[in-house]
Amino acid sequence: MEQTDFLVIGSGIAGLSYALKVAQRFPDKRVLVITKTRIDETNTKYAQGGIAGVTDFEHDSYEKHIQDTLVAGDGLCNPVTVEIVVKEGPARIQEIVDWGTRFDKDSEGDYKLGREGGHSEFRILHHKDVTGKEIERALLETIGKQKNIEVHKHWFVLDLITQHHLGYLVTKSTPDIECYGVYALDQHTNKIVRILSKITLLATGGNGQAYRTTTNPKIATGDGVAMVYRAKGRIENMEFIQFHPTALFEAGVSPSFLITEAVRGDGGILRNAKEEAFMERYDERRDLAPRDIVARAIDSEMKRTGTEHVYLDCRHMDIEKFIEHFPNIYAKCKSIGIDVATQMIPVAPAAHYSCGGIKVDEWGRTSINHLYACGECSSTGLHGANRLASNSLLEALVFAHRCYLDSVELIDVLDFKEGIPDWNAEGTTEPEEMILITQSGKELQQLMSDYVGIVRTHTRLQRAMKRLDLLHEEIETLYESTTVSPQLCEVRNLITVGYLIVKEASFRRESRGLHYNTDYPQKSPILQNIVL
Ligand code: FAD
Ligand code: SIN
């Protein structure tokens, strides 16, 4: 058994920035960060375009950023959250700069600001086209100097510990569910350890791996959302899965390499198989319309022309400038035989971001006591029905800070819970056939991509639910009889996430933002978040 004052699950931007803050504020308290593979293997590391924030007050304003976020969110953003994130964002960005993050600047020393879909101004701070890698580097270097932060790498968190583990019946209507820590699998020893904590933060990231084609790395399996759902906490807006319009099309390669929206911000043009620039037929903002609109337009062009991808044309752009801003994309394209200066880049939409997740309030508090959530696993109300590009790194920083402020108030009145039992592995044996697990994962990705993608129908959702029921039954049987492994738990968590997406999508009898159902093509006059 282990004990820690602060337990942080996840080593991306959300988890690391929270860990740093509580550790610096309380040098005598222990902060434990758990991460399931390598420390930097996170969605954060792959972020390309950058982080949105108002820094150029001559051309931009908080009001414009707020307005762009609300327009992208299609009526479902919480305006209070939007204002909080936009107005507190610049101070949080300055903190990561102080921790060593380098954003690109021009010869005058001003930030070189990028632009992406849905933004009315240039406001994206970036480090070439590898912004996330730079942020992760700076955070990890700073963490390394903080003596009271310990990191458990290759530890897999299995479940939250609540009253349920003390033998009490816990349901959705139990008023004061409490989190006492977690059970986690130490992958070095294969032992399951009880970790008791006073305060726990979930920063477990997204769930793109629920789909066959995704920009998300393998770690993005929705573990935090599934754990909270099992612990009877509240989950909302899972139907709003954002498909990035322009992932590099490479048959059979997973995850897909992203071609940042900033390329379109710098002038890249989408063309169909006949080389026609088609976006003007879909939206007056053309290639820089919000993501839901561009992804649907591409989907429609692909279906119309019977192709598996469209093209991003950068041939007219200044190649020197392109290479300076997008060296990583240029090199990747070159490595597969595409010369961006003379050839178009084949692109197709890919599952990219989960707008919904663990429901939290304006301080990052979940519906379970002493349990916070921030970053992509949480649902703060910022994104509504569709996230504005480059708002997620910003949201993670602002809410990590808010979770920290609230934790400061709480930590000294909390104690460790006694009497927590060991993990119960009775009746389980080593899996005889790993294929049963991997095949369930593949079936899930296939059905989510086929039936719960960019365009949905009532019948497709019904079909998806029937297949999910079967997958759920099979994985639960396996889970009860098999020694736990990350592979088994990830597939189980993804099936739960799939269920939540389909369930909430089925309740939403309208088309709004990222949720487009041809049986209900209109928007409902009633604005609602769907909470399970
Ligand atoms: P992550 O960075 O994903 O970290 C999750 C952590 O949780 C990992 O350390 C993981 O190991 C750990 N974890 C998960 N489950 C468990 C478990 N069971 N046990 C132990 N540890 C666990 N957003 C922007 O704002 N701007 C961009 O330019 C941008 N570009 C993007 C490009 C790509 C290719 C992708 C995939 C995303 C992009 N995004 C961008 C989105 C953004 O990167 C993510 O939303 C954000 O980084 C999420 O940060 P996070 O800290 O919440 O989670
Ligand atoms: C991109 O660079 O296009 C991704 C930005 C984001 O997901 O916010």
Side-chain angles (χ1 to χ4, degrees):
M1 186 184 78
E2 287 201 41
Q3 288 192 342
T4 181
D5 296 294
F6 297 97
L7 175 62
V8 178
I9 305 163
S11 57
I13 188 170
L16 293 183
S17 55
Y18 172 86
L20 263 175
K21 283 175 179 252
V22 288
Q24 288 179 347
R25 171 73 185 251
F26 299 104
D28 298 332
K29 295 200 189 290
R30 182 179 185 217
V31 181
L32 175 61
V33 177
I34 299 191
T35 183
K36 66 180 171 177
T37 62
R38 292 197 315 273
I39 191 163
D40 67 344
E41 188 54 6
T42 58
N43 273 11
T44 300
K45 184 173 85 172
Y46 296 94
Q48 288 192 358
I51 180 163
V54 180
T55 53
D56 171 11
F57 286 92
E58 202 181 314
H59 302 99
D60 201 2
S61 65
Y62 291 139
E63 288 64 39
K64 284 187 192 172
H65 190 181
I66 288 172
Q67 193 55 26
D68 292 347
T69 304
L70 293 172
V71 169
D74 209 3
L76 274 198
C77 300
N78 177 343
V80 176
T81 310
V82 175
E83 190 171 341
I84 286 173
V85 173
V86 167
K87 291 191 172 169
E88 295 180 8
R92 304 285 80 80
I93 292 176
Q94 186 55 46
E95 278 168 356
I96 55 167
V97 170
D98 295 341
W99 288 333
T101 307
R102 297 160 304 175
F103 292 117
D104 292 351
K105 290 186 171 174
D106 61 21
S107 53
E108 314 270 282
D110 294 324
Y111 287 124
K112 279 187 187 168
L113 298 174
R115 190 172 165 200
E116 293 174 7
H119 287 273
S120 57
E121 294 294 343
F122 285 79
R123 65 166 74 94
I124 320 286
L125 290 90
H126 56 88
H127 180 92
K128 302 196 184 298
D129 55 355
V130 286
T131 309
K133 198 172 172 192
E134 170 62 9
I135 294 176
E136 188 75 13
R137 179 202 62 77
L139 287 171
L140 286 176
E141 271 185 32
T142 317
I143 288 271
K145 294 179 201 144
Q146 192 65 39
K147 292 206 165 48
N148 55 332
I149 298 183
E150 201 179 323
V151 183
H152 284 352
K153 294 167 221 157
H154 297 278
W155 279 54
F156 188 98
V157 174
L158 302 166
D159 257 323
L160 301 169
I161 303 175
T162 67
Q163 292 97 323
H164 165 78
H165 298 92
L166 294 170
Y168 295 100
L169 176 69
V170 177
T171 68
K172 286 270 176 209
S173 21
T174 303
D176 271 309
I177 307 177
E178 306 209 329
C179 176
Y180 307 127
V182 302
Y183 291 109
L185 174 69
D186 174 354
Q187 296 175 67
H188 306 95
T189 61
N190 252 344
K191 294 243 160 22
I192 296 173
V193 181
R194 266 176 300 163
I195 305 180
L196 302 191
S197 57
K198 292 181 182 169
I199 288 181
T200 305
L201 175 91
L202 286 171
T204 47
N207 55 40
Q209 286 291 327
Y211 289 84
R212 199 180 46 220
T213 309
T214 177
T215 61
N216 289 192
K218 297 277 177 227
I219 56 108
T221 53
D223 299 350
V225 167
M227 280 189 261
V228 168
Y229 186 67
R230 281 197 292 275
K232 313 295 180 205
R234 296 285 165 192
I235 309 292
E236 71 174 1
N237 288 356
M238 292 294 289
E239 68 276 32
F240 298 120
I241 296 294
Q242 184 169 71
F243 286 78
H244 196 291
T246 57
L248 180 64
F249 176 78
E250 285 181 283
V253 174
S254 174
S256 303
F257 181 86
L258 185 73
I259 307 291
T260 173
E261 205 156 293
V263 172
R264 275 176 284 134
D266 280 9
I269 295 171
L270 287 163
R271 295 187 185 278
N272 62 19
K274 294 182 187 155
E275 301 206 11
E276 295 160 347
F278 55 85
M279 273 312 299
E280 61 198 31
R281 282 194 270 114
Y282 293 89
D283 194 282
E284 60 186 14
R285 289 160 291 184
R286 292 185 292 187
D287 299 89
L288 285 178
R291 264 181 207 173
D292 54 336
I293 295 168
V294 182
R296 259 197 312 277
I298 295 177
D299 187 65
S300 148
E301 288 296 309
M302 284 170 20
K303 288 199 172 115
R304 204 172 60 78
T305 56
T307 48
E308 285 183 287
H309 60 78
V310 294
Y311 293 100
L312 184 60
D313 186 2
C314 308
R315 293 172 299 180
H316 55 288
M317 292 166 69
D318 178 332
I319 192 64
E320 298 301 321
K321 280 197 184 146
F322 188 98
I323 295 171
E324 194 193 330
H325 191 169
F326 309 113
N328 192 35
I329 292 174
Y330 181 77
K332 171 70 190 181
C333 289
K334 203 167 174 203
S335 76
I336 56 165
I338 297 168
D339 175 2
V340 173
T342 56
Q343 288 165 288
M344 296 195 291
I345 309 171
V347 291
H352 181 63
Y353 185 83
S354 172
C355 294
I358 303 159
K359 184 174 168 53
V360 296
D361 68 10
E362 72 270 30
W363 298 103
R365 294 183 282 222
T366 69
S367 57
I368 298 178
N369 293 343
H370 323 148
L371 179 71
Y372 294 86
C374 65
E376 190 168 339
C377 68
S378 67
S379 176
T380 64
L382 175 70
H383 309 307
N386 176 36
R387 175 180 67 103
L388 182 67
S390 286
N391 261 358
S392 50
L393 295 172
L394 187 73
E395 179 199 44
L397 287 178
V398 169
F399 269 83
H401 181 74
R402 293 190 141 244
C403 292
Y404 149 72
L405 290 179
D406 205 68
S407 310
V408 167
E409 301 296 316
L410 201 62
I411 187 73
D412 284 326
V413 299
L414 296 175
D415 218 336
F416 297 110
K417 188 74 181 174
E418 291 182 358
I420 304 292
D422 276 337
W423 176 261
N424 182 1
E426 219 178 276
T428 60
T429 54
E430 290 298 318
E432 282 170 21
E433 292 189 294
M434 279 305 280
I435 183 92
L436 296 179
I437 299 170
T438 52
Q439 197 54 32
S440 290
K442 281 188 193 156
E443 279 177 39
L444 173 82
Q445 291 179 330
Q446 185 75 39
L447 82 88
M448 293 300 289
S449 299
D450 290 346
Y451 300 132
V452 203
I454 295 172
V455 176
R456 301 160 182 182
T457 66
H458 183 61
T459 312
R460 287 185 204 176
L461 292 176
Q462 269 187 330
R463 270 197 173 205
M465 193 50 103
K466 271 197 192 156
R467 280 148 182 78
L468 277 165
D469 281 344
L470 181 61
L471 283 175
H472 172 73
E473 192 189 309
E474 288 172 354
I475 205 80
E476 288 306 312
T477 308
L478 214 53
Y479 185 79
E480 276 156 28
S481 59
T482 311
T483 318
V484 289
S485 64
Q487 294 86 333
L488 172 62
C489 293
E490 286 183 343
V491 172
R492 181 174 181 239
N493 289 338
L494 281 170
I495 290 170
T496 301
V497 163
Y499 165 82
L500 290 165
I501 296 171
V502 174
K503 190 85 183 163
E504 297 195 344
S506 308
F507 279 137
R508 188 165 291 286
R509 305 229 153 164
E510 62 166 347
S511 290
R512 182 183 295 281
L514 297 159
H515 174 74
Y516 188 73
N517 185 331
T518 54
D519 292 318
Y520 307 100
Q522 307 300 330
K523 283 193 182 67
S524 156
I526 303 161
L527 290 173
Q528 58 170 343
N529 294 315
I530 294 171
V531 185
L532 285 174

